[in-house]
Amino acid sequence: MNILSIETSCDETAVSIIETVGDFPNATYKILGNSLFSQIDIHREYGGVFPAVAKREHARTLVPMLERALQEAKLLKVHATALSQKQTEHLCEILFREPGLADLLTNFFEKNAKPNIDLIAVTSGPGLEPALWVGINFARALSYFWNIPVVPVNHMEGHILSSIFDGAKIQPISFPALGLLISGGHTELVLMKEWASYERVGETLDDAVGEAFDKVARMLGLPYPGGPEIGSRAQRARVKNLPSFIILPRPMLDKPNLNFSFSGLKTAVRYAIGERKLSSDETDALARDFEDSVTEVLLKKTQRAIDKFGVQTLIVGGGVSANTYIRKSFTTHFKKEYPELAIHFPPHHLSTDNSIMIALAGHAQAKHGLTHEIFGNVKANGNLSLSVLE
Ligand code: KG4
Ligand code: ZN
């Protein structure tokens, strides 16, 4: 089966084509085509993601990304096809909020024949709703025109699966498994007793970890996205063994539950900076102090959940899981203290948002019968939860 997957939940526009042989979770996957356009350079001047701009950029780049992915997969068949009046009307109806995209897609359909695709997977949440809708309506238009079913995908399930994907297969895992999802919008601990079963056992009460990285970076005068910037500044402080700029709090560690809070930590950084202009070494040291605090909190709360639920597999996913220090600290600590625990991090190129993970989650969901028939009633849900898969 060939899956076309679409991701537009935040500031990455991504389209992939994956060939699958067999059923989830024992299938073999081959990436036939993969294209991704990152809007980071566009959002940088706003210091963060600007939803209206994200929506506009998705609408502008989805068709070129689709063409590129199909071309790479050798599935692009040029073939002049005239659209009927009814087809044009339907396309405009589905894409009435994205008239520019309707024109680009009409042009694409007029030039190219239906490719060999069996299923369309699209992110339906969580994320920025205006951005999600562009991908969903695009998927519905393709579904209608090509007569192919659509499966809605939870972005966070994609992050979990990309952490256990070795490029060809989903690696076997022992249950119970624990997902630590750390991204720009989420910080949660998710218990998995079996495949496709998710129970949220801990979450942030305010900012997500990635959001805290981005906001602290901004205070330090570092560009968006702040995570990688803080990571490399902190690394410099570690190499130079710079003295602590300040001892920052470890929020929520004194609470016996599995929840997080990063907003106080962010405020502590703001007070530490005050009105001062930090030297380069001071900036590096403060970035390192912040990274230390975040890592310790994440690690200790994760360990608490592992103890509480007798976890056998730890799956860390989401953009912040790209952080070198977090990876190293988790691996070193748990290898020593919990030698029986299997730990998974995503390969670096699948840590941040991509559409390969959406194809994997789409394949998993299709097995559970969540496929909508032709251009079905898929809806965007900015707050879609993993515990209640829709
Ligand atoms: O998963 P993701 O690509 O998008 C969301 O679903 O939110 O995560 C993006 C977040 C951003 O906040 C970014 O600063 C953070 O992941 N991030 C990192 C690193 N790379 C990306 N945070 C810390 N260290 C990194 N190396
Ligand atoms: Zn993400």
Side-chain angles (χ1 to χ4, degrees):
M1 163 158 89
N2 285 346
I3 303 180
L4 172 81
S5 57
I6 300 159
E7 157 64 34
T8 65
S9 69
C10 191
D11 58 352
E12 257 88 36
T13 315
V15 177
S16 306
I17 296 147
I18 315 279
E19 181 189 77
T20 69
V21 178
D23 276 345
F24 181 88
N26 302 312
T28 313
Y29 299 92
K30 189 168 169 201
I31 299 159
L32 301 182
N34 182 36
S35 59
L36 184 145
F37 173 76
S38 171
Q39 304 172 4
I40 281 177
D41 289 341
I42 300 164
H43 293 288
R44 191 166 283 135
E45 62 179 291
Y46 303 98
V49 182
F50 201 74
V53 174
K55 175 183 149 88
R56 183 195 72 200
E57 288 302 305
H58 289 312
R60 189 177 68 83
T61 49
L62 268 170
V63 172
M65 290 300 109
L66 171 69
E67 272 178 329
R68 196 192 289 174
L70 285 171
Q71 194 135 38
E72 192 188 332
K74 302 199 170 41
L75 291 178
L76 196 64
K77 283 182 280 175
V78 176
H79 181 270
T81 327
L83 267 65
S84 69
Q85 175 79 16
K86 189 172 157 238
Q87 285 175 319
T88 311
E89 279 170 13
H90 251 89
L91 276 183
C92 291
E93 201 180 301
I94 298 170
L95 293 168
F96 85 99
R97 282 178 213 271
E98 291 89 24
L101 178 56
D103 290 345
L104 288 166
L105 200 52
T106 303
N107 191 272
F108 172 84
F109 286 141
E110 282 172 348
K111 271 192 337 210
N112 300 291
K114 175 183 169 178
N116 179 17
I117 302 285
D118 306 286
L119 178 69
I120 299 168
V122 64
T123 306
S124 63
L128 303 170
E129 283 197 7
L132 289 164
W133 273 118
V134 186
I136 290 173
N137 287 333
F138 181 66
R140 292 174 69 230
L142 295 175
S143 163
Y144 160 71
F145 202 79
W146 290 337
N147 214 11
I148 301 171
V150 182
V151 61
V153 164
N154 185 308
H155 180 88
M156 303 316 283
E157 184 172 36
H159 275 304
I160 290 186
L161 294 178
S162 69
S163 300
I164 47 176
F165 180 56
D166 70 3
K169 288 189 82 69
I170 298 287
Q171 296 173 63
I173 59 170
S174 305
F175 295 101
L178 180 75
L180 170 66
L181 295 174
I182 41 179
S183 71
H186 287 79
T187 302
E188 39 187 59
L189 285 163
V190 179
L191 185 66
M192 293 172 68
K193 292 189 180 140
E194 56 181 323
W195 289 113
S197 135
Y198 302 100
E199 184 192 342
R200 188 164 56 202
V201 292
E203 65 185 319
T204 181
L205 304 180
D206 40 59
D207 291 356
V209 193
E211 195 181 346
F213 267 97
D214 295 338
K215 287 177 177 167
V216 165
R218 209 159 145 181
M219 293 175 204
L220 293 172
L222 306 173
Y224 174 84
E229 293 286 332
I230 294 215
S232 56
R233 289 295 195 134
Q235 176 58 16
R236 223 153 58 196
R238 291 181 205 288
V239 170
K240 285 182 160 176
N241 204 13
L242 294 175
S244 253
F245 184 82
I246 185 178
I247 306 290
L248 289 168
R250 268 53 178 162
M252 303 290 282
L253 272 192
D254 54 336
K255 301 271 186 309
N257 59 32
L258 299 173
N259 291 332
F260 304 92
S261 160
F262 294 103
S263 136
L265 179 59
K266 182 187 68 187
T267 309
V269 172
R270 182 175 294 127
Y271 279 127
I273 302 172
E275 298 298 312
R276 307 169 52 183
K277 171 97 189 70
L278 301 189
S279 70
S280 182
D281 272 1
E282 284 173 330
T283 304
D284 294 353
L286 187 49
R288 191 251 345 257
D289 297 343
F290 169 75
E291 197 180 62
D292 277 347
S293 168
V294 167
T295 306
E296 188 180 331
V297 171
L298 290 175
L299 196 144
K300 292 201 167 144
K301 289 276 176 174
T302 303
Q303 176 163 334
R304 233 174 251 174
I306 290 171
D307 291 341
K308 181 166 179 190
F309 299 107
V311 166
Q312 306 209 23
T313 308
L314 173 63
I315 302 170
V316 188
V320 182
S321 71
N323 183 281
T324 311
Y325 184 70
I326 294 177
R327 282 182 182 232
K328 204 171 124 229
S329 306
F330 269 64
T331 311
T332 312
H333 176 79
F334 287 116
K335 281 233 152 80
K336 183 160 169 268
E337 303 294 328
Y338 294 70
E340 305 293 313
L341 180 79
I343 307 185
H344 297 270
F345 282 93
H348 267 285
H349 70 287
L350 297 184
S351 299
T352 47
D353 292 350
N354 63 85
S355 48
I356 291 171
M357 70 185 201
I358 303 309
L360 298 173
H363 194 226
Q365 286 310 311
K367 187 187 168 188
H368 294 95
L370 286 174
T371 306
H372 286 243
E373 287 315 316
I374 316 309
F375 88 102
N377 200 16
V378 182
K379 290 201 166 53
N381 179 353
N383 299 314
L384 185 64
S385 153
L386 245 191
S387 315
V388 198
L389 286 173
E390 293 167 74

